[in-house]
Amino acid sequence: MDFLGEKWITPFVKQSFVTCGVSINMAAAGLVMGFTTGLLEQLGASDSPIPVDDASGSWIAAIPGFSLVVGNFIVPSVMARYGRKTANLISIVPLIIGWIGIVLANSITALFIARFLQGLCMGMATSLGSTLIGEYASPRNRGVFLMTISISIAFGVLCVHAMGSYLDWKTSAIVCGSVALIDLVIVIFSPESPSWLADQGKYDECKKVFRWLRGNKEEQELKNLIEASIVVRESKAEANVRRTLLKKIKSNVVYFKTTITKKEFFKPIFIMIHIYMIGQWSGVNILVTYSIVIFNRVVGPDCNIPLMIMALDGHRIIANIFAIYIIKKAKRRTMLFTTVGINVLALLGLAAYTYAKENRLFSTDYPIIGILLIHLLMFAVATGTISLCFIIAGEIFPLEYRSLAGGLSVLFYSANLFLNVKTIPYLLNNIGVHGTCCLYCVVILYCLLIAWWFLPETKDRTLQDIEDEFRGRPMTMEELKSAQSLASWKAYNTDRRCSTPVV
């Protein structure tokens, strides 16, 4: 870390460096999901060394969505016990092994195992990403750094689609594995999270890392962080002295039963389940995982499909960058309903166009219409539908229950990812593009109705304020005293800069 601490390197540059380690790991999700586009196309060829059909191909594409759950439930305990940096390092290991497994694969079973390991990384990175950036970055930079998650995923998809168009799948896997190794080096030279160090009572190291990351202009936040940690550690120590093991178990059971009945716990989970459903059924998986298939069916096989795919991926990156500006200006609800509304219109337009094309209602084919509709869908997905999933998830969960609530909601995220990717070939083959798009619209509109009724506005509000709205009242003094998390003690301070989402 010392070699990065020269005076001419500003705190912003240092925060950018550690964010890079997180973002490249998140880009792995784009590489993993986008890799199947070229992989399945090449494995479907007559001379393929590992022949696959639609059923086995859909399993290869969907398995990461299943193993994502396992990674998501592994990472909270690793983060809490061994630190954020260690958890980030551990998450990269199955990714590297997975890419090596793909390079060496000579059977479908080997590909299944490799993809399962890659899904573990995706699950761990999903939980790690927003947490690490939130703890590393200054409040004024946090929103921009959080948006690098979506941009990184989009850039990963672009790169792997480009490689899949011109390289064989094993060469592409070698390049992807090399990217993971680079990320491993960056994470090794990144510091541990100052919040975790404070929670472990390592206050001198916490001060050193915090000032290395933030400079000397955020001393009040550092003071609050350490003071809160001291109070919480003392409270836990006193509780441990008074409790036997049996009492602790009973206390945890009572705590869980009490927690799941709290509005500030179950309402955000209910909302995020539907927000994640919007993201997964928006059509993004068709555009990322089955982009060759969708261009063949909508535009036709005579077009330059590799160029079309790379242009679409480039559009996604531009839309993600554009979203950074929009997120700073627009309210969350306004942005969600606008972009998802455009998403629905694009799906309905694709449904109408492909239905008319398949039933020869056009006297002449108009491929430009199909291309524009696909790009309109990508614009909506990249600008808001997907990006807002990460933003809202980082703001809506109460700090005290963030790990548990986030883990439960990501369980549904994973289930929807797996179900959506697994059923794409079946839906396209049985009800066509138009039927698939209409089905997606029904799911999205239902979820959008839930969001309309239950999702509060979160922009420029403190996390405690959002939590109080879900609860229906501010926390009482007794609740503040009994709270066992570092974050909930921070709520008692009048200076809430450390938890205010400034984007």
Side-chain angles (χ1 to χ4, degrees):
M1 186 174 74
D2 291 339
F3 77 96
L4 295 171
E6 300 295 336
K7 292 182 180 180
W8 56 272
I9 301 181
T10 65
F12 178 80
V13 174
K14 295 173 185 176
Q15 292 172 38
S16 299
F17 174 80
V18 295
T19 298
C20 188
V22 178
S23 297
I24 294 178
N25 201 6
M26 291 301 299
L31 293 173
V32 169
M33 297 306 296
F35 182 74
T36 54
T37 297
L39 175 66
L40 297 181
E41 181 74 9
Q42 294 178 35
L43 292 182
S46 57
D47 59 346
S48 170
I50 309 176
V52 299
D53 54 20
D54 285 345
S56 56
S58 66
W59 276 106
I60 291 173
I63 278 178
F66 174 76
S67 56
L68 185 149
V69 178
V70 181
N72 181 254
F73 278 96
I74 289 173
V75 75
S77 58
V78 177
M79 287 171 61
R81 184 164 186 172
Y82 300 104
R84 314 318 194 211
K85 177 180 176 178
T86 301
N88 206 14
L89 286 169
I90 291 174
S91 72
I92 301 172
V93 173
L95 177 66
I96 295 174
I97 296 174
W99 288 121
I100 293 173
I102 288 177
V103 173
L104 301 177
N106 54 14
S107 66
I108 292 179
T109 302
L111 288 175
F112 285 169
I113 295 172
R115 295 284 290 173
F116 182 89
L117 291 172
Q118 291 177 331
L120 287 179
C121 170
M122 288 176 58
M124 296 181 77
T126 299
S127 297
L128 274 167
S130 57
T131 299
L132 272 169
I133 291 176
E135 294 179 356
Y136 278 145
S138 298
R140 63 180 178 276
N141 301 326
R142 191 172 298 144
V144 174
F145 284 143
L146 282 170
M147 274 304 301
T148 63
I149 293 176
S150 296
I151 295 173
S152 299
I153 294 173
F155 188 72
V157 171
L158 170 62
C159 291
V160 79
H161 279 171
M163 289 187 289
S165 300
Y166 301 105
L167 302 175
D168 68 89
W169 55 275
K170 291 199 173 187
T171 304
S172 298
I174 291 173
V175 176
C176 293
S178 301
V179 172
L181 286 172
I182 293 171
D183 185 38
L184 186 67
V185 173
I186 294 175
V187 175
I188 287 173
F189 284 100
S190 296
E192 181 53 82
S193 161
S195 297
W196 183 81
L197 291 171
D199 193 48
Q200 298 299 305
K202 301 178 180 180
Y203 302 122
D204 290 338
E205 191 174 351
C206 169
K207 292 176 183 178
K208 181 180 178 182
V209 172
F210 188 95
R211 288 167 179 154
W212 183 86
L213 284 167
R214 310 281 191 91
N216 298 316
K217 296 183 179 180
E218 300 182 23
E219 290 297 305
Q220 185 60 44
E221 179 175 343
L222 176 59
K223 179 183 177 183
N224 291 344
L225 181 68
I226 293 175
E227 287 180 351
S229 174
I230 292 172
V231 169
V232 172
R233 284 176 62 82
E234 289 176 351
S235 175
K236 288 182 178 179
E238 291 175 2
N240 288 335
V241 169
R242 294 193 302 265
R243 294 177 184 173
T244 64
L245 178 61
L246 182 60
K247 287 182 177 179
K248 287 181 182 179
I249 294 173
K250 289 182 178 179
S251 177
N252 288 335
V253 171
V254 172
Y255 173 78
F256 180 76
K257 289 182 178 179
T258 305
T259 297
I260 61 176
T261 61
K262 292 181 178 179
K263 294 180 181 179
E264 64 269 28
F265 177 78
F266 68 78
K267 276 190 175 181
I269 294 177
F270 178 73
I271 293 169
M272 278 312 304
I273 287 172
H274 291 84
I275 297 295
Y276 281 142
M277 284 180 66
I278 290 175
Q280 290 306 313
W281 295 89
S282 63
V284 64
N285 293 316
I286 292 181
L287 299 180
V288 172
T289 308
Y290 291 93
S291 50
I292 293 177
V293 175
I294 198 68
F295 272 110
N296 270 320
R297 291 185 177 238
V298 176
V299 182
D302 297 331
C303 67
N304 188 338
I305 290 181
L307 180 62
M308 293 283 182
I309 292 173
M310 286 187 285
L312 186 67
D313 293 336
H315 176 195
R316 180 179 181 177
I317 294 174
I318 294 171
N320 281 152
I321 295 172
F322 175 70
I324 294 177
Y325 174 79
I326 298 298
I327 282 174
K328 287 185 175 181
K329 304 294 183 182
K331 292 183 179 297
R332 302 287 187 261
R333 284 174 57 90
T334 302
M335 188 171 178
L336 177 69
F337 298 131
T338 301
T339 55
V340 175
I342 296 172
N343 198 150
V344 170
L345 291 176
L347 287 171
L348 290 175
L350 276 172
Y353 174 75
T354 53
Y355 179 83
K357 183 178 179 179
E358 290 172 6
N359 290 275
R360 302 185 183 279
L361 300 181
F362 293 135
S363 56
T364 305
D365 193 14
Y366 300 98
I368 187 64
I369 296 178
I371 294 172
L372 290 175
L373 287 171
I374 290 174
H375 276 270
L376 180 63
L377 178 60
M378 178 57 82
F379 172 80
V381 166
T383 304
T385 307
I386 293 296
S387 302
L388 285 171
C389 289
F390 296 105
I391 299 296
I392 294 174
E395 296 175 336
I396 200 173
F397 293 122
L399 293 169
E400 186 175 357
Y401 316 119
R402 175 162 292 184
S403 295
L404 178 59
L408 290 174
S409 62
V410 171
L411 174 63
F412 288 90
Y413 167 88
S414 175
N416 278 281
L417 172 61
F418 175 79
L419 181 63
N420 183 263
V421 175
K422 185 71 177 69
T423 56
I424 287 173
Y426 176 83
L427 292 175
L428 292 178
N429 291 333
N430 287 274
I431 61 176
V433 175
H434 59 279
T436 303
C437 289
C438 288
L439 175 63
Y440 286 8
C441 283
V442 172
V443 175
I444 291 173
L445 288 172
Y446 156 71
C447 295
L448 199 62
L449 182 64
I450 296 297
W452 176 271
W453 282 106
F454 294 101
L455 177 67
E457 181 55 59
T458 60
K459 183 174 171 20
D460 295 333
R461 296 177 65 185
T462 67
L463 301 183
Q464 188 61 44
D465 186 28
I466 298 168
E467 180 181 341
D468 289 343
E469 179 169 341
F470 283 125
R471 185 186 297 106
R473 56 175 175 78
M475 291 182 75
T476 65
M477 187 61 66
E478 288 300 317
E479 288 172 326
L480 285 168
K481 289 179 179 179
S482 64
Q484 293 295 306
S485 72
L486 170 64
S488 61
W489 190 91
K490 288 179 187 176
Y492 187 63
N493 288 279
T494 56
D495 185 351
R496 288 304 305 270
R497 292 178 298 164
C498 58
S499 63
T500 303
V502 180
V503 297

